[in-house]
Amino acid sequence: MTDVHTTLNTAADARVDVAIIGGGAAGLSAAVTLARSLRSVVVIDAGEPRNAPAEGVHNLLGREGIAPGDLIAQGRAEAEAYGARMLSGSVAHVRRDGDDIVLELEDGDELRARRILLATGLRDELPDVAGITDLWGTHVLHCPYCHGWEVRGQRIGVLGTTPMAMHQVLLFRQLSEHITLFTHTMPELTSDDWDTLAALNVEVVSGRVGELRSENGELRSAVVDDGHEFAIDALTVAPRMIANSDLYEQLGGELSENPMGVFIETDFAGKTPIEGVWAAGNVRDVGAVVAASAMQGLMAGGAINGELATEEARAAVAARAARTA
Ligand SMILES: Cc1cc2nc3c(=O)[nH]c(=O)nc-3n(C[C@H](O)[C@H](O)[C@H](O)COP(=O)(O)OP(=O)(O)OC[C@H]3O[C@@H](n4cnc5c(N)ncnc54)[C@H](O)[C@@H]3O)c2cc1C
C-alpha cells in the first residue's frame, strides 16, 4: 500500500472532503465511489480486516475464493487509481471543530475532514472455550455461507449458546450427515427441537464444552466438562459481534443492540444521527458479508457526495446573491 503519511500534513492534505476510517470492503468501496466523483479522500486503515484468518472469500460474485488480503490489495489499488489516498495506521481520537471533524492519528498527526465515514468493522467475541481462538476462521466457524462448503461431509459440532443453535444445526445438516449439537449454554431444548434432532440423526451432547483439542492447526476433538472427548473436524459457533465504535462514542454517538450484537444505527444510506458522521459495513450491520459491506460503502459514498454537492450549491447560491446585492 502506498504510504502517504509523510505528506499528510501539507496544506493540500490538511483538509479533505471525506476521511474514511477503516479500509476493508466497506471503506474501500466508498473510497472508489467518492474518488470517482473527484472528492478528496483519505482512507486510514489499521490493517486488521475481520476475515483475515479465512483462506478465501466466498459468495463473492466474480471474485469467488479470493484470499482476503488479495481482495483488499486490489481494492486499494482501484481506489488509488482514482486518486484516493491510503494511510496505514489507527485513528485514535476524533473531535468536532466547527463544521469539520478532526482525526487524531495514533502517532499524534491530525487530519481534518468535512465528513467522516466509519468503516471500522467489528470484533467477534468468542465463547469462553480453551483453544477456540487459535482455530477461529479455519476450523471454528460462524457462517455456513462463508465456509460451510469447505467442511461439507465432515464431522461438524454446533456449540449451543443461543436458541439460534437449532437454526445452525439445520443449515450445517444440509452440508453434512455428521452433526453433533453440544448444548453448552443454550436454553433447554423443546420437545419440537428433540423431534427435529432425532429425525435428522443429529447427535446431542449435554454439557459444556471446556476445551478444543487440535494437532498441527487441525481441530481434533471437543472435550466436555465431564471429561468425555468427541471427535470433530469443525465447530460452528455464534460469536457476539461488537461494532468497533470507540470513535463514534467519542463524538457522542450511542449504540444499538440486537440479539446478534452491538452496532451503530444509521439510515438506509449509512447516515448516523451525528452530523457529518456516516457508517458502512459491519460497524452498522453486524450480519453484513463482504458483498453487502461493499454495497453499503458504495451507498454511503454516493450519499455523502450528494450531501456535499448540495452544501456546495447552497454556498454558491449565497455567494452569488451576496455579489449581486
Ligand atoms: C472468519 C471469517 C470469515 C469470513 N468469510 C467471509 C466470506 O467468505 N464471505 C463473506 O462475504 N464474508 C465473510 N466474512 C465476513 C466479512 O469478514 C465481513 O463482511 C467484512 O470483513 C466486513 O467488511 P468491513 O469493511 O465492514 O470491515 P473489515 O473488513 O473488518 O474492515 C475494517 C477495517 O477497519 C480497520 N479499523 C478498525 N478500527 C480502526 C481505526 N480506529 N483506525 C483505522 N482503522 C481501523 C480494521 O483494522 C480493518 O482493516 C467472514 C468473517 C469472518 C470472521
Side-chain angles (χ1 to χ4, degrees):
M1 176 164 78
T2 308
D3 190 347
V4 297
H5 203 182
T6 49
T7 61
L8 187 61
N9 287 323
T10 64
D13 294 326
R15 184 173 188 254
V16 293
D17 288 327
V18 187
I20 298 173
I21 308 166
L28 291 172
S29 177
V32 169
T33 303
L34 286 158
R36 280 176 54 80
S37 296
L38 303 182
R39 294 293 173 190
S40 54
V41 183
V42 170
V43 179
I44 308 108
D45 183 39
E48 292 178 358
R50 182 178 168 222
N51 58 348
E55 99 298 343
V57 180
H58 299 288
N59 277 310
L60 184 60
L61 195 64
R63 298 316 311 254
E64 177 55 30
I66 187 173
D70 291 350
L71 183 67
I72 298 294
Q74 176 145 359
R76 285 176 182 167
E78 289 171 2
E80 283 181 315
Y82 290 114
R85 287 169 303 130
M86 303 289 142
L87 183 60
S88 298
S90 228
V91 177
H93 296 286
V94 285
R95 65 176 190 278
R96 187 172 297 285
D97 183 17
D99 289 341
D100 290 346
I101 296 172
V102 179
L103 285 64
E104 190 185 314
L105 310 187
E106 58 191 340
D107 60 7
D109 279 356
E110 288 192 349
L111 170 67
R112 185 175 283 269
R114 297 171 66 193
R115 300 288 186 278
I116 65 168
L117 175 66
L118 298 169
T120 45
L122 60 77
R123 57 184 184 281
D124 292 282
E125 282 186 1
L126 297 175
D128 183 18
V129 174
I132 203 166
T133 310
D134 293 343
L135 298 161
W136 171 238
T138 56
H139 299 273
V140 174
L141 314 167
H142 72 300
C143 167
Y145 306 107
C146 298
H147 19 224
W149 194 88
E150 283 63 37
V151 297
R152 68 197 183 285
Q154 296 185 8
R155 295 167 299 183
I156 303 171
V158 176
L159 190 72
T161 50
T162 73
M164 284 301 288
M166 274 305 292
H167 188 59
Q168 277 193 318
V169 164
L170 300 191
L171 298 184
F172 280 90
R173 179 63 182 78
Q174 164 67 14
L175 296 160
S176 174
E177 293 178 352
H178 313 291
I179 303 291
T180 302
L181 171 64
F182 296 95
T183 58
H184 199 64
T185 58
M186 71 182 289
E188 207 162 305
L189 293 164
T190 65
S191 62
D192 280 355
D193 293 338
W194 282 109
D195 285 348
T196 304
L197 294 163
L200 296 177
N201 288 323
V202 173
E203 180 183 24
V204 180
V205 175
S206 300
R208 282 181 87 106
V209 174
E211 181 190 355
L212 298 181
R213 292 197 178 143
S214 59
E215 212 177 293
N216 301 324
E218 303 286 325
L219 176 59
R220 294 288 178 233
S221 63
V223 185
V224 290
D225 278 350
D226 67 7
H228 278 89
E229 189 171 354
F230 296 84
I232 50 171
D233 307 303
L235 182 74
T236 173
V237 302
R240 183 128 177 91
M241 297 179 274
I242 311 292
N244 292 323
S245 58
D246 293 5
L247 302 175
Y248 187 61
E249 289 170 88
Q250 287 170 18
L251 290 167
E254 289 176 11
L255 304 179
S256 298
E257 192 165 355
N258 66 20
M260 290 167 76
V262 177
F263 58 96
I264 295 174
E265 196 147 354
T266 70
D267 72 3
F268 184 67
K271 190 174 171 61
T272 77
I274 308 267
E275 198 53 45
V277 181
W278 297 67
N282 276 165
V283 73
R284 64 160 275 205
D285 176 0
V286 297
V289 294
V290 167
S293 301
M295 185 271 282
Q296 290 173 9
L298 188 163
M299 283 197 325
I304 293 170
N305 181 52
E307 191 176 81
L308 291 173
T310 304
E311 184 177 290
E312 287 153 4
R314 283 201 193 110
V317 169
R320 184 166 180 269
R323 274 199 310 275
T324 55

